[in-house]
Amino acid sequence: MQVTNFADTPSLLSRYMMEMRDATVQRDPLRFRRNLERAGQIMAYEISKTMRYRKEEIHTPLAPCTCDVLDEQVVLGTIFRAGVPFHQGFLQYFDYAENAFVSAYRKYKEKENFDVLIEYLASPRLDGKTLILCDPMLATGASMELSFRALLTKGTPAHVHVASVIASQAAVDYIRRTFPENTSIWVGAIDEHINDHSYIVPGLGDAGDLAYGTKD
């Protein structure tokens, strides 16, 4: 299973990652959402280079021209709510993609113990398609796995791309154990630790709150 860690190769994404992590800069929710979009755009471009293309002839005003055209039907899946701006970045590049949405949330039983529950699912059929499942934070991998299992009720994709801005090493290992072999993992950075509340350290905090305001 391929794992691409963008932090291994410094790029423009490194600047956006720094701003998303910086406790001062991230006070601006507009900037934070925009940086999530930018991360999605960069990852979309890199993922597109691994996909299958076909030759298609078109006609310019002067002469025929043969072009490469994406030959995979892409479905962009995201997990509410933090995933929405990240998803939008992908959609700006894969603008012909179909879209899927999952609501997964933590239901706390005690202070540090919780279950992950699926509350909402809207998706096209997935059989034979390429699923890009994006969520900014991959802390334990449980939400991503449950969302994927829910999406499998809509069919079996030909390939799965799991995309996150920041992941813990434990979550990457969990995805490698629980997802099918035809899965590729793309992350802006891999952090080594999660704390007792299952937040990534150093991470960046609660991406949903930073993007949309603190929830009650």
Side-chain angles (χ1 to χ4, degrees):
M1 186 181 294
Q2 176 189 350
V3 178
T4 300
N5 182 1
F6 286 84
D8 292 337
T9 308
S11 67
L12 279 175
L13 180 59
S14 305
R15 171 61 186 242
Y16 308 144
M17 294 288 295
M18 180 272 289
E19 291 188 355
M20 284 187 282
R21 288 186 189 267
D22 190 303
T24 300
V25 179
Q26 67 179 205
R27 292 174 187 168
D28 180 355
L30 177 60
R31 185 73 175 178
F32 188 80
R33 292 193 302 271
R34 183 68 184 105
N35 283 332
L36 284 178
E37 288 182 13
R38 286 168 165 164
Q41 291 169 338
I42 291 170
M43 290 188 188
Y45 175 72
E46 293 299 324
I47 291 172
S48 76
K49 294 193 289 187
T50 71
M51 292 181 168
R52 183 181 68 252
Y53 290 79
R54 69 177 186 275
K55 300 292 184 181
E56 188 169 304
E57 186 175 277
I58 63 166
H59 291 270
T60 78
L62 301 178
C65 177
T66 301
C67 301
D68 292 312
V69 178
L70 186 64
D71 196 31
E72 299 182 24
Q73 177 59 60
V74 175
V75 178
L76 300 176
T78 197
I79 303 173
F80 288 145
R81 65 179 168 151
V84 173
F86 191 40
H87 175 102
Q88 184 63 29
F90 278 90
L91 186 58
Q92 287 166 359
Y93 277 33
F94 289 108
D95 49 2
Y96 290 101
E98 297 177 286
N99 294 269
F101 300 94
V102 182
S103 171
Y105 70 98
R106 295 179 177 186
K107 183 175 182 180
Y108 284 87
K109 297 179 290 187
E110 299 174 13
K111 185 176 181 180
E112 296 174 0
N113 295 317
F114 60 86
D115 293 324
V116 177
L117 302 179
I118 301 295
E119 192 173 49
Y120 172 85
L121 171 66
S123 173
R125 292 299 304 174
L126 298 176
D127 293 301
K129 298 177 183 178
T130 299
L131 174 64
I132 301 176
L133 189 52
C134 53
D135 190 33
M137 308 301 288
L138 195 61
T140 66
S143 296
M144 188 70 80
E145 185 206 4
L146 283 178
S147 298
F148 177 62
R149 300 301 171 196
L151 286 165
L152 287 180
T153 64
K154 304 299 182 180
T156 304
H159 193 91
V160 181
H161 297 276
V162 172
S164 287
V165 174
I166 300 176
S168 72
Q169 184 60 57
V172 171
D173 294 341
Y174 184 79
I175 296 299
R176 296 184 74 169
R177 291 195 307 270
T178 57
F179 273 60
E181 277 301 310
N182 63 336
T183 300
S184 302
I185 303 172
W186 305 79
V187 293
I190 298 175
D191 290 352
E192 287 300 319
H193 304 293
I194 54 175
N195 63 19
D196 292 339
H197 297 280
S198 296
Y199 281 103
I200 304 169
V201 179
L204 53 76
D206 189 305
D209 286 356
L210 291 169
Y212 297 112
T214 304
K215 55 187 172 294
D216 185 0

